[in-house]
Amino acid sequence: MAISMGTWILSGSGLLMILLGVAVKHWKWYWLIAGFNTMPKEQKKQVNTEGLGRAIGNFLFLLGTLMLGGSLLEVRGMDNAFLVTMLAQLVVIPIFVVWVQRYDPSTRNADGRMKLSVKAVLGVVILACGFSALLIGYGLIPPDVTVTGDAVSVSGMYGTTFQAHRISEVQLVETMPVIRRKTGGMNAGSVRKGWFELESGENALLFVTLNRPPYVIFRDEHRLVIINQKDSKATESLYQAISDLADQ
């Protein structure tokens, strides 16, 4: 099985995070800590530098481990390993950002409570990570394809309905057409949802997981649509149902 570019990138990023963790925690390269070098001298004196270095080093080890674990799962055939890895990172990042504030007393008032400005920044970080996590979680939900007497309906992200009288050229193919680039969709790991330009230059609406043949291809008037399911038998059954619908 060929290892995808995404897997190599995830593995390389994981190794880089671990190397940076070693540099910060053990080699004490604190200049790598974002914002630390730009702090005023008086504020920098208040920071528990060693504690902050240990915490950030351990956090980088955690991120690296998550990335390497995700790349290993991809190699072993888990389709959504990249998305699961990203989701895990979006969960741990805001937790760490809040927790690590304990090493900088300047983030708190005289009574020990966190400053309102710091709370505001942390709130933005938490909301951004939360929204991204929800979006990825939604993208992880496999599309539910329903064939009725007059239409094919696809649920979930980029879901839509294709009317039977507009469906034509239904095919079942073993090889996924080569994708050139994303034009308006979700591209993460092996998941492709939304609009993509194919090597032929044509735009297609995809609801597929790569490396999981076969694939159902059909036209909805001028739109090219490609769909597959969780296993080959389900995709073959879907092909038959759409083909029968188009022949009515």
Side-chain angles (χ1 to χ4, degrees), residues 26 74 105 123 126 130 132-133 147-148 174 207 210 215 235 239 245-246:
H26 297 293
E74 278 201 340
I126 292 171
S132 299
V147 181
T148 61
E174 287 295 320
F207 302 94
L210 301 179
Y215 306 89
T235 302
Y239 160 73
L245 182 66

Side-chain angles (χ1 to χ4, degrees), residues 3-15 67 71 74 82:
I3 299 176
S4 69
M5 180 60 69
T7 302
W8 283 115
I9 292 173
L10 198 60
S11 300
S13 299
L15 291 173
M67 291 176 183
S71 62
E74 278 201 340
F82 180 85

Side-chain angles (χ1 to χ4, degrees), residues 5-164:
M5 180 60 69
T7 302
W8 283 115
I9 292 173
L10 198 60
S11 300
S13 299
L15 291 173
L16 177 61
M17 290 297 105
I18 291 175
L19 178 60
L20 290 173
V22 171
V24 173
K25 182 177 180 179
H26 297 293
W27 299 344
K28 304 188 185 302
W29 288 9
Y30 300 138
W31 52 270
L32 289 173
I33 300 173
F36 183 73
N37 284 338
T38 58
M39 279 184 180
K41 289 184 178 181
E42 291 302 317
Q43 182 180 351
K44 192 180 292 187
K45 289 178 181 179
Q46 299 178 48
V47 176
N48 179 351
T49 308
E50 288 195 10
L52 179 63
R54 285 194 304 271
I56 291 180
N58 289 334
F59 179 64
L60 290 169
F61 292 152
L62 174 60
L63 290 183
T65 301
L66 287 173
M67 291 176 183
L68 290 175
S71 62
L72 178 61
L73 289 174
E74 278 201 340
V75 169
R76 294 181 66 85
M78 181 176 176
D79 295 323
N80 297 319
F82 180 85
L83 290 176
V84 171
T85 302
M86 291 296 296
L87 189 60
Q89 291 180 66
L90 288 169
V91 170
V92 300
I93 285 173
I95 294 174
F96 173 76
V97 170
V98 173
W99 179 79
V100 80
Q101 300 306 313
R102 67 181 63 195
Y103 295 106
D104 183 4
S106 66
T107 60
R108 301 183 180 277
N109 294 314
D111 60 2
R113 295 184 180 181
M114 190 173 291
K115 293 179 179 178
L116 184 60
S117 59
V118 177
K119 288 182 179 179
V121 172
L122 294 177
V124 171
V125 172
I126 292 171
L127 286 174
C129 289
F131 176 76
S132 299
L134 287 174
L135 194 62
I136 290 176
Y138 185 47
L140 280 170
I141 300 174
D144 183 22
V145 184
T146 305
V147 181
T148 61
D150 59 355
V152 177
S153 298
V154 182
S155 68
M157 187 176 288
Y158 300 99
T160 187
T161 298
F162 309 101
Q163 299 300 322

